[in-house]
Amino acid sequence: MKRILFGAVAALALTAGFAAAEYPEKEIQGIIQWGAGGSTDTVMRSVTPHAEEILGGSVVMQNMTGAVGAIALNYVAEADADGYTLLMGAENPMLYKVMGLGDRDYGEFIPVSLLARGTPLLVANNDAPFDTYAEMIAYIKANPGEVRFGSTGPGGLPSVVTAMINAVEGELDVIAVPYDGDGPALTGLQGGAIDVMPAVLGAAIEAVRAGNMKALAVVDLTENDKLPGVQSVAAVSPGYATYLPWGPFFGVFVKKGTPDDVVAKLSAAYAEAAKNAEFIELMEGRGFTLMGISGAEADAFLSKWQQGTAWLLQDAGLTKASPEEFGIARPGQ
Amino acid sequence: MQKIDPDHHDGTSDATPGGEADKRRPGELAFALFLLGASAILLWNAYGIAGFEALSSPGAIPMATTAVMVVTAAMVALKTLRMPLDSTETLRRDILPLTVIVFAVLLVAYGLFLRTLGFLPVSAIFLIVAVKYLGRRSWGWTLGVSLAALAITWLIFRIVFSVLMPAGIVPEAEMVQALRSLFQGGAQ
Amino acid sequence: MTALMDFLTVLTQPQLLLLVGLGTFAGVYVGAIPGLSVTMAVSILISFTFSWDVHPAIALMIGIYMGGVYGGSRTAILLNIPGAPSAIATALDGYPMAQRGEAGTAIGVTTVMSFIGGFIGIGVLALAAPFVSDFALKFQPRDYMLLAILGILLVGSLSQGSLVKGIFAGALGIAIGAVGRDPLTFAERFTFDLRLMEGGISFIAVMIGMFGVSEALLQLHHVDKDAVRQKITRIVPSLATVKKHLPLSLQTSSIGVVIGALPGTGGDIAALMAYDHAKRVTKNPEVPFGKGAMEGLVAPETANNAAVGGAFIPMMTLGIPGDAVTAIMIGALFIHGLNPGPMLMIDQPDMFWFIVGCLVAANFFMLLFGLTGIRLFTKIVEMPRSVLIPLIMLLSIVGAFAVNNSISDVYWMLGFGIFGYFMRHYGYPLGPVILGVILSRLLDDNWRRAIISEREDLGRFFEGVVTSPLSLVLFVAVILVFVSQTPVWRWGKSKLFKES
């Protein structure tokens, strides 16, 4: 027992830098919005150790799941704005208001760093009677109410991509089978429980490479160099240009009101950490696009993302409340 | 009284810790009625989730299960009602002795003050009071055992597993940082 | 030949072997403390071993996993508080044995049986992984739903005393599992518009409260009585004992492997199903079930350790986690620059054999650490109750908080502790509540997926059940168990004709 304890303390001590009089004076809590083993968790746990080194402090990461991440968001929003509680999250909170999941979003936070964004990919079960995006659309139109799409609940990536497809191709009659995450849905896809799944590229790429499922199209303006030969949806239907590029993203946030020097220090640390070669290799291997933006640039990205997505869902009739109520302007206005 | 083992724990892990099968224990009827009432409220609440909207609605399974709860709770309540009261037992002695009430109150107080005072002070007070009350040993022994137990728990959960219990009035994060710097200094 | 070399990697490198051992040792303690879970330990290890090589990191994690699954049985036997959900069934017969002063025997049997189960799991992983994972993928939402119903029928096995009270408890469990925002539609269920309830109730918190706190409160009735003296004469079970239970352990291990390999079900469900199986096939146990039957230990412990090997099957062959721990390990492999997925076994077969090697080593360490230090462990139950009871309560509180770093889980835990205390007094079994909570989402989510896939058409749903061989087998099993094994049939008949 003693040995483990000592080892643990010693190893933790190694990661902590010199104790400085300025920030960080004590450990920082990193609240991860999603469960252990998920994409957000993996990204945060692989970038934070580099940031710790640069900060010269320790960041204790905890998973706080539940209510689509709203529990974690509220926890950080209710903590002191002193930079000792970080929110490590994904894109979902930007849709809480319109989906009726809460009255807070990233507007109450300062983006320390938006680390990366993902590209959605349409994958299908190997036995599905279509091999390309165009064939899929034709098949659905010929066989209404037969094709089963995986979904991860209102506001999740599949619902947004499906809304986009409906907006571009006209209303398609498909069955949306709900799953509680893209992992279980992709498992269901391989077993034939669903036929098509819009998923983030990184989650499906290994199974596609192994031939366990087939990629129909990349939901992007151009092909992706990780999957050469898979067409982009924009190449088939130019209408997608209005909505793309679109994708989920990961970021680290602090509550508004955090002192500027603290935010600057955190931003610098995460910006530097995101340049680490191992981290870059890791992210690119999974098909994520590195962003590493903060400050005004990040704010602009967030509001553009929110406008586009919220109005897309509103027009698809998937929202609980209109984006207008929350002052989210229609894109292009 | 002689018929019932005062130990009340017959060695099975999950069965009745006392009482006789064909008699009603003190408070049993009240508990059965409470469950029936609570089940009815839950059924109503489950109906409120989505009504009879669809077989696949989020309220379908909750409605089915709470309906089962209402039916079974009603069956239990009826059966309990028909059983004669066990006259050898009293609520005060067999179901809710003073010690249990004291501890229930201690636990609730613990929950109430956990956030404001913080984990370390509340746990220290809880352990000292509980060990002293149950053991009735000297203060030195009580303090020693309680604080040692707390220290070990804190080290395992806080240091090894990074479980951040509410710090409350204790500057825990600063303490841990200082501890780490100390180790750091020692190592270099 | 290279496979053999990779398999032996861990055994030939003292440093790796030491890490597996260290992990297993730590795992036994992590598993034994309610609220400290293997999932948590492994996810902390990810940040911890970040800068390490991939081999030592995996070696340590596998040790913790194996030790942790086993460790849950310790507190279940000694204190009637399962250290982890997969040890719930172990408490049913293990604790009565400890009450009779036979904790040493119980732990000995548990250890040896865990070892046997562990090996069968690893064996299937090594020899038949692709076959089993193909089979596991065939499970459709309706099959998972039927599996959940089969699980819910275990209420009959877990209810000592009144079956009606057992059914109530099971339904209560399912309802508890539904509290919070529904993960599929985000609708609020049983939240009473309180934000505190949005996140739902952690079932670990329910388990710790119902078993830990309620047991501690119950113990208050006899603080002054001396603790049961444990006689630790024979720890290692005799060869005859092992031989006698070998057929059962083989059957329950198979249950463990398959349930473990299914994505979405794990050791907890496997152990409960195995317990039920043992209860049905054992005609004349020496001691009745629930009073300390040896078979009641053999079944869950072989099954939950066999489920470890099972959980690695879809992970290694498809990159699909078999349970929460393997999900985190996939993340770890990914962070260490490997690409866990279907190609892993083809691109890097060495990793597969290395993991199998680590599992084998961890299994041996588990046997070693399981059979030693029992004397020290049993001292815990011999501690004065005036110290033990407050300590159990404190550990329950910290443990409930640790699950999701949430104070509301502590409140739930305390609430269910006090509620469970009354349930015990009035003869409501607690096992079915936990069973219900565990199975709640499996049942609910998959029912909805299945019926949505058939466009809300019950006719088409049943057509699917009858035309798919797998569903049909499960459906028949459900009917058979319902009619013959739960006493509903006999009970219902006798009640109807006798009383009214």
Side-chain angles (χ1 to χ4, degrees), chain A residues 165-189:
Chain A
I165 297 175
N166 282 330
V168 173
E169 310 284 355
E171 283 296 311
L172 296 176
D173 187 3
V174 295
I175 305 173
V177 184
Y179 281 84
D180 51 345
D182 56 359
L186 288 169
T187 306
L189 180 90

Side-chain angles (χ1 to χ4, degrees), chain A residues 227-320:
Chain A
L227 280 172
V230 178
Q231 58 185 170
S232 74
V233 287
V236 184
S237 303
Y240 280 107
T242 329
Y243 305 104
L244 297 174
W246 181 91
F249 58 86
F250 308 107
V252 179
F253 301 83
V254 288
K255 191 182 171 182
K256 271 224 167 105
T258 304
D260 288 343
D261 56 324
V262 171
V263 176
K265 199 159 183 189
L266 278 169
S267 289
Y270 271 94
E272 191 62 32
K275 285 189 194 129
N276 181 285
E278 281 171 45
F279 180 69
I280 293 177
E281 197 192 320
L282 190 89
M283 297 307 284
E284 289 190 338
R286 285 252 141 175
F288 288 111
T289 311
L290 287 161
M291 297 200 295
I293 55 171
S294 57
E297 201 186 344
D299 282 326
F301 175 87
L302 287 174
S303 62
K304 183 167 178 264
W305 193 97
Q306 189 178 36
Q307 289 171 1
T309 316
W311 280 102
L312 182 66
L313 292 172
Q314 166 73 12
D315 293 342
L318 295 173
T319 50
K320 286 253 160 65

Side-chain angles (χ1 to χ4, degrees), chain A:
Chain A
M1 210 60 190
K2 252 189 224 152
R3 259 179 312 163
I4 312 174
L5 262 172
F6 182 77
V9 175
L12 276 173
L14 284 179
T15 59
F18 293 99
E22 61 206 57
Y23 178 87
E25 278 182 301
K26 55 177 185 178
E27 325 167 285
I28 303 162
Q29 273 191 67
I31 306 296
I32 303 174
Q33 241 185 5
W34 296 97
S39 308
T40 313
D41 182 65
T42 319
V43 169
M44 294 308 167
R45 286 188 194 272
S46 52
V47 72
T48 303
H50 300 303
E52 279 181 319
E53 250 168 58
I54 300 155
L55 272 177
S58 46
V59 181
V60 181
M61 284 175 283
Q62 294 167 284
N63 301 94
M64 199 178 275
T65 57
V68 219
I71 305 266
L73 185 95
N74 287 327
Y75 178 86
V76 180
E78 280 154 24
D80 292 333
D82 55 5
Y84 286 104
T85 318
L86 308 181
L87 177 66
M88 303 176 158
E91 73 286 357
N92 320 59
M94 294 313 266
L95 300 172
Y96 286 169
K97 288 179 178 169
V98 289
M99 302 315 285
L101 291 171
D103 43 16
R104 289 196 172 106
D105 61 20
Y106 286 142
E108 296 185 23
F109 293 81
I110 305 168
V112 164
S113 176
L114 297 184
L115 293 161
R117 67 179 172 83
T119 304
L121 177 74
L122 274 177
V123 286
N125 178 280
N126 276 339
D127 298 329
F130 37 78
D131 294 317
T132 63
Y133 173 76
E135 284 174 37
M136 176 190 89
I137 297 292
Y139 185 86
I140 295 172
K141 286 189 170 155
N143 301 280
E146 233 181 57
V147 176
R148 289 161 302 174
F149 267 53
S151 93
T152 55
L157 176 144
S159 75
V160 176
V161 171
T162 312
M164 238 182 247
I165 297 175
N166 282 330
V168 173
E169 310 284 355
E171 283 296 311
L172 296 176
D173 187 3
V174 295
I175 305 173
V177 184
Y179 281 84
D180 51 345
D182 56 359
L186 288 169
T187 306
L189 180 90
Q190 291 181 56
I194 52 176
D195 305 303
V196 180
M197 174 74 191
V200 64
L201 193 131
I205 193 163
E206 286 301 315
V208 171
R209 278 185 193 149
N212 287 9
M213 53 179 81
K214 53 192 179 192
L216 299 176
V218 184
V219 184
D220 205 347
L221 291 170
T222 52
E223 280 188 18
N224 192 292
D225 53 0
K226 296 286 159 214
L227 280 172
V230 178
Q231 58 185 170
S232 74
V233 287
V236 184
S237 303
Y240 280 107
T242 329
Y243 305 104
L244 297 174
W246 181 91
F249 58 86
F250 308 107
V252 179
F253 301 83
V254 288
K255 191 182 171 182
K256 271 224 167 105
T258 304
D260 288 343
D261 56 324
V262 171
V263 176
K265 199 159 183 189
L266 278 169
S267 289
Y270 271 94
E272 191 62 32
K275 285 189 194 129
N276 181 285
E278 281 171 45
F279 180 69
I280 293 177
E281 197 192 320
L282 190 89
M283 297 307 284
E284 289 190 338
R286 285 252 141 175
F288 288 111
T289 311
L290 287 161
M291 297 200 295
I293 55 171
S294 57
E297 201 186 344
D299 282 326
F301 175 87
L302 287 174
S303 62
K304 183 167 178 264
W305 193 97
Q306 189 178 36
Q307 289 171 1
T309 316
W311 280 102
L312 182 66
L313 292 172
Q314 166 73 12
D315 293 342
L318 295 173
T319 50
K320 286 253 160 65
S322 164
E324 248 167 4
E325 285 177 37
F326 309 104
I328 302 169
R330 194 179 264 279
Q333 280 183 354

Side-chain angles (χ1 to χ4, degrees), chain B residues 99-111:
Chain B
T99 348
V100 174
I101 297 177
V102 167
F103 266 81
V105 170
L106 269 181
L107 286 175
V108 171
Y110 186 107

